[in-house]
Amino acid sequence: MATDRYRHFSVVARLRLGRRFYCRWWVVMIREVPTHRGLALIAVLWIVAALSLAATGLIHSAKLEIRKASRHRAVVEAAALGDAANRLVLQEITARALPVNKSEHVELEFGGRWIRVRAQSLNGLVDINNAAEPLLAALFQHAAGVAPANAAVLARAVVEWRKRPAAGGTPIGFDAPEDLLTVPGVDYALYARIQDLISASLRGGGLVNPEAAPLPVLVVLAEGNVALASQLYAQRENSPLPMDTTSLNAAFKGGGSGGPLSVIAEVPLDGAVTLERSWVVALSSSGRNGLPWRVIEQRQRLLSSAN
């Protein structure tokens, strides 16, 4: 009686998707048949395996593209909601015809989401174009955690960098806060710790208005005294009375209002991600479409809960 004989074959399908190669392989056991039939069967199996792998790769690629498109759409929608929320807050600010002296926080429901908007005068931030060297050193030391000696070196570098003459001989200065990254010694890790505490307003006086300063800037004005800064911040947020700033460094603090405003909307996305849509606005009657404000600058960034 004849005994069936089997042979083992390794079948491999290899497909390139982008820069990656995907492989699938099988070990098959085939009964020996006449040579031409065995080869045909092997060819058929190889083609089926390759087609299967190609279909799997295409499905995976299509799913990635769908996720990217969905994510992009969500960001665009969140940006539109953030702009709408910023407009509503600006309408309220201009309707009351009172200057923004304090940092203000508003929560409103728009488009089915709760959006947090904060508005503050830019004179509550450290102006990197006009702040004196000691204030810059305090910023690097108390807000960015730089050692005092290194903070002084960085402050000197910022002052020297912004004084560089342009073609007409005037100081070139900084056009935006992120221009601070061009200063030797300032890396992104350092910039990320202070990016929300600085402005590049060319019209600033170099002093900080404590009434409009966020808590980390108050810590800078208090020269690292976190307890004092927290106490003053709580007093300002919970009382209509002016804040007692006598304990802050007099060389750092100033006052006044009427300058540009920073209006920032925080729009939640799916998961633990938030879109931050920020405007720099000048309140005036020369705004676009007759609005009582003019948007000088628009930015956005995605923040995760880890930030």
Side-chain angles (χ1 to χ4, degrees):
M1 182 177 62
T3 303
D4 291 338
R5 298 180 61 186
Y6 293 85
R7 290 187 180 183
H8 292 80
F9 295 91
S10 177
V11 181
V12 180
R14 195 164 186 253
L15 177 66
R16 178 171 182 173
L17 294 176
R19 296 184 177 179
R20 297 188 177 184
F21 287 91
Y22 295 87
C23 295
R24 284 194 176 182
W25 59 90
W26 295 263
V27 175
V28 297
M29 185 171 63
I30 303 175
R31 189 177 61 174
E32 284 191 352
V33 294
T35 304
H36 65 281
R37 294 182 180 178
L39 293 176
L41 180 59
I42 292 173
V44 169
L45 290 174
W46 188 91
I47 293 173
V48 170
L51 290 176
S52 174
L53 182 57
T56 302
L58 289 175
I59 292 172
H60 178 72
S61 178
K63 287 181 177 179
L64 287 178
E65 292 301 322
I66 292 172
R67 282 198 291 266
K68 288 180 181 178
S70 177
R71 184 66 169 178
H72 178 71
R73 177 181 176 181
V75 170
V76 171
E77 290 178 349
L81 291 175
D83 288 346
N86 284 342
R87 289 189 182 94
L88 289 176
V89 171
L90 283 171
Q91 286 176 0
E92 180 185 347
I93 290 173
T94 55
R96 70 190 184 205
L98 293 175
V100 178
N101 291 324
K102 293 184 178 182
S103 176
E104 302 184 7
H105 302 266
V106 179
E107 286 194 12
L108 50 89
E109 186 178 10
F110 197 88
R113 308 187 200 187
W114 282 99
I115 302 174
R116 185 172 184 265
V117 182
R118 64 183 188 272
Q120 66 180 37
S121 174
L122 285 183
N123 64 10
L125 305 178
V126 177
D127 181 5
I128 58 176
N129 275 309
N130 298 287
E133 193 172 322
L135 176 54
L136 291 171
L139 172 70
F140 289 128
Q141 179 181 347
H142 303 301
V146 178
N150 294 335
V153 171
L154 285 174
R156 166 52 52 183
V158 171
V159 172
E160 292 179 350
W161 193 259
R162 74 189 184 194
K163 285 184 177 180
R164 293 175 302 134
T170 57
I172 193 168
F174 299 103
D175 293 326
E178 56 266 26
D179 289 344
L180 197 63
L181 288 166
T182 62
V183 177
V186 178
D187 58 18
Y188 185 78
L190 188 153
Y191 171 74
R193 292 193 289 270
I194 62 173
Q195 62 178 334
D196 295 329
L197 313 179
I198 60 177
S199 72
S201 173
L202 297 175
R203 295 174 291 177
L207 300 177
V208 177
N209 178 10
E211 291 284 356
L215 179 58
V217 175
L218 287 177
V219 173
V220 173
L221 301 183
E223 298 183 284
N225 190 333
V226 178
L228 172 61
S230 300
Q231 178 184 350
L232 294 176
Y233 182 81
Q235 173 192 340
R236 185 188 72 190
E237 296 300 305
N238 300 318
S239 172
L241 299 176
M243 189 169 65
D244 181 10
T245 64
T246 56
S247 53
L248 300 177
N249 190 323
F252 296 166
K253 64 182 182 179
S257 59
L261 299 179
S262 173
V263 185
I264 303 173
E266 299 175 1
V267 186
L269 296 175
D270 294 336
V273 179
T274 299
L275 177 75
E276 188 180 83
R277 183 73 172 173
S278 60
W279 290 4
V280 175
V281 179
L283 299 180
S284 67
S285 59
S286 60
R288 185 179 179 183
N289 298 327
L291 295 173
W293 65 77
R294 178 169 52 90
V295 179
I296 302 173
E297 183 180 326
Q298 293 184 3
R299 297 182 187 178
Q300 70 182 37
R301 59 176 175 169
L302 291 174
L303 301 176
S304 67
S305 58
N307 295 340

